Amino acid sequence: MIRGAVLGSPISHSLSPVLHKAAFDFLGLAGNYSAIEVTSGTLQQFVETRGQEFDYLSLTMPLKEEVLSLDVDTDALTQRIQSGNTLVNRDGSWSLTSTDGSGLVAALAHAGLTQFESVLILGAGGTARAVTGALDSLATNLHVLGRSSVRQEALESAAIHSRFEYLKWNVDVDFTSYDLVVNTTPAGAADLLANSLQPGITSTLFDVIYKPWPTELAQRWSDCGGSVINGLELLLYQGIDQLEIVLGSSVDRAGLADHIRPILRKAAG
């Protein structure tokens, strides 16, 4: 019996239970997976009091940075990007990693996108750092549009190979300068940026949000001729990566993705 859960706040909207239960069915595994409300500042207490009930824990907002304060084995990439979304329990010992970045790369590859000249990342939180670390070396230029310079240093540390630049948030962005834009901001935060879009855009928007959908930015992007990748794709592939880590073996990724994708879309409405 595999026991998992997604932790965060708010958590009632999460489709992670739908994803993982569908994966268990496809793989023929006995397992359960739930969504549990865990607010900021209470993650350590939860792990200490209830952690041994689970084989793995998925983390979402606002816990991806807070988890770094736990005394657990953390891999090098997660330390570098200072963001983690996967806690795995093996014989009572916890290890921490992040599948946000690898999930993004897998979702992009599924869309036929593997190399980029210039990428713009909207937002500067934990997901933005995971995206920065994942696209480092896949993009010649990585730019982050952030609303605060507080996290600039952490983002710079996540990029080793690409040319990195941190830009101050503004609503007049030249999106034509980029072949990929990744929106990591909370729902509604990037709506005003839609006004900067003009018809004829040819680049791709990867919006990590999947509900509500479409976001104003995604709708405008599509209306102007650009391609859009829904956040369900990130959810899908980061979840598959989590399962491979938990199982300690590879799975039929293509078959699993094809099985789960329509289930997620139906659940998202």
Side-chain angles (χ1 to χ4, degrees):
M1 173 70 73
I2 298 176
R3 306 161 300 165
V6 58
L7 313 181
S9 181
I11 201 64
S12 60
H13 70 286
S14 176
L15 293 182
S16 289
V18 174
L19 185 159
H20 288 261
K21 289 173 182 177
F24 294 160
D25 290 342
F26 179 84
L27 298 171
L29 299 172
N32 56 59
Y33 188 101
S34 56
I36 303 175
E37 186 84 10
V38 176
T39 57
S40 177
T42 65
L43 177 60
Q44 181 170 338
Q45 180 183 7
F46 179 89
V47 173
E48 289 176 350
T49 58
R50 297 193 56 191
Q52 296 311 312
E53 300 175 21
F54 304 95
D55 298 301
Y56 70 111
L57 297 170
S58 309
L59 306 175
T60 187
M61 292 177 60
L63 306 176
K64 292 183 180 182
E65 296 168 85
E66 182 176 329
V67 69
L68 272 297
S69 65
L70 271 59
D71 184 18
V72 298
D73 183 27
T74 305
D75 65 26
L77 175 61
T78 304
Q79 290 177 343
R80 177 158 64 88
I81 65 175
Q82 287 293 288
S83 175
N85 77 333
T86 308
L87 278 168
V88 179
N89 181 6
R90 298 199 190 282
D91 299 322
S93 296
W94 289 95
S95 61
L96 174 66
T97 190
S98 175
T99 63
D100 281 331
S102 60
L104 178 95
V105 171
L108 288 169
H110 177 72
L113 303 171
T114 57
Q115 293 289 330
F116 311 93
E117 177 62 29
S118 294
V119 174
L120 176 65
I121 300 167
L122 307 178
T127 302
R129 289 199 298 278
V131 170
T132 299
L135 295 181
D136 186 36
S137 78
L138 297 183
T140 303
N141 302 289
L142 274 176
H143 295 171
V144 170
L145 190 66
R147 286 173 287 184
S148 168
S149 60
V150 173
R151 294 175 171 177
Q152 179 174 346
E153 184 177 348
L155 281 153
E156 290 175 342
S157 298
I160 297 175
H161 306 288
S162 302
R163 289 196 292 268
F164 180 88
E165 186 175 355
Y166 189 90
L167 307 174
K168 187 176 181 180
W169 188 272
N170 67 86
V171 296
D172 187 21
V173 182
D174 181 12
F175 288 113
T176 62
S177 302
Y178 304 95
D179 45 350
L180 174 67
V181 175
V182 183
N183 179 30
T184 71
T185 65
D191 286 354
L192 290 178
L193 298 179
N195 296 328
S196 298
L197 288 167
Q198 300 298 323
I201 195 163
T202 59
S203 54
T204 298
L205 170 69
F206 196 127
D207 199 326
V208 304
I209 296 169
Y210 57 81
K211 197 171 184 178
W213 187 263
T215 62
E216 188 171 329
L217 179 62
Q219 184 64 64
R220 176 65 178 169
W221 199 282
S222 181
D223 291 344
C224 289
S227 59
V228 177
I229 301 176
N230 185 294
L232 286 176
E233 291 294 296
L234 174 57
L235 177 69
L236 171 62
Y237 285 103
Q238 63 84 28
I240 291 175
D241 285 351
Q242 285 183 340
L243 283 168
E244 287 192 329
I245 292 170
V246 173
L247 295 173
S249 61
S250 59
V251 299
D252 175 6
R253 295 176 64 90
L256 184 55
D258 288 344
H259 173 74
I260 296 175
R261 188 176 285 109
I263 296 173
L264 284 179
R265 289 174 177 171
K266 182 178 180 180

